[in-house]
């Protein structure tokens, strides 16, 4: 599909298994079909933590990825913005079997806090969230 339409694609977030560890991951695919890289969620109570910033070079400039609630961690959000991406994408994966009340009890901050929105406005920055 990426080759046919000459587009970039962000796949995920999804559960990745690597060396017997599980990560919440997104993958960036280039228009030629090659994988540019992946981003593993950096703070996740259910999976291993990723360790790298989600910045990817495209023909249009740098893009960033922050999975789900990583965006609510100001240190991770500001570190990503320090690379000056043109846009940050925020793919999210929510287990459909988990009731919202349980998510809230586990600390799903996005239900009550949108601090990243304030930071985007302050920095005049574009942010796209997808579920």
């Amino acid at each position: 599909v990426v080759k046919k339409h000459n587009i970039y694609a962000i796949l995920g977030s999804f559960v990745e298994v690597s060396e017997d560890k599980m990560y919440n991951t997104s993958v960036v695919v280039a228009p030629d079909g090659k994988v540019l890289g992946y981003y593993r969620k950096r703070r996740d109570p259910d999976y291993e933590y990723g360790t790298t910033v989600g910045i990817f070079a495209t023909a249009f400039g740098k893009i960033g990825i922050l999975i789900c609630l990583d965006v609510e961690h100001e240190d991770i959000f500001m570190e990503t913005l320090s690379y000056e991406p043109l846009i940050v994408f925020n793919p999210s994966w929510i287990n459909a079997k988990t009731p919202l009340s349980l998510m809230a009890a586990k600390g799903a901050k996005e239900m009550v806090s949108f601090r990243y929105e304030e930071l985007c406005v302050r920095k005049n920055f574009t942010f796209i969230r997808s579920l």
Side-chain angles (χ1 to χ4, degrees):
V1 171
V2 293
K3 287 181 182 181
K4 179 179 178 182
H5 298 287
N6 195 35
I7 60 171
Y8 289 87
I10 298 171
L11 310 175
S13 81
F14 57 86
V15 176
E16 170 201 3
V17 178
S18 177
E19 299 178 13
D20 296 327
K21 293 182 180 179
M22 294 173 44
Y23 301 90
N24 188 342
T25 302
S26 288
V27 175
V28 180
V29 181
D32 62 4
K34 294 181 182 174
V35 173
L36 284 180
Y38 59 90
Y39 173 74
R40 292 173 172 161
K41 188 174 176 183
R42 293 175 63 190
R43 303 246 174 93
D44 195 317
D46 299 318
Y47 302 104
E48 298 291 327
Y49 288 7
T51 57
T52 59
V53 179
I55 295 293
F56 303 90
T58 72
F60 307 103
K62 290 181 276 188
I63 63 167
I65 296 179
L66 290 167
I67 295 175
C68 200
L69 293 177
D70 273 358
V71 73
E72 285 288 348
H73 297 279
E74 189 168 348
D75 59 326
I76 295 173
F77 189 76
M78 295 308 288
E79 181 181 16
T80 301
L81 290 187
S82 75
Y83 286 84
E84 299 181 347
L86 294 173
I87 191 166
V88 171
F89 294 91
N90 181 229
S92 299
W93 175 78
I94 297 173
N95 182 346
K97 294 180 182 179
T98 303
L100 292 179
S101 59
L102 181 58
M103 289 174 60
K106 284 185 163 187
K109 291 187 260 179
E110 70 180 331
M111 295 181 172
V112 295
S113 170
F114 290 96
R115 173 101 172 102
Y116 67 90
E117 288 182 349
E118 174 194 334
L119 294 169
C120 288
V121 169
R122 204 168 13 142
K123 298 262 185 197
N124 193 28
F125 185 77
T126 302
F127 181 84
I128 296 177
R129 170 168 270 183
S130 63
L131 295 174

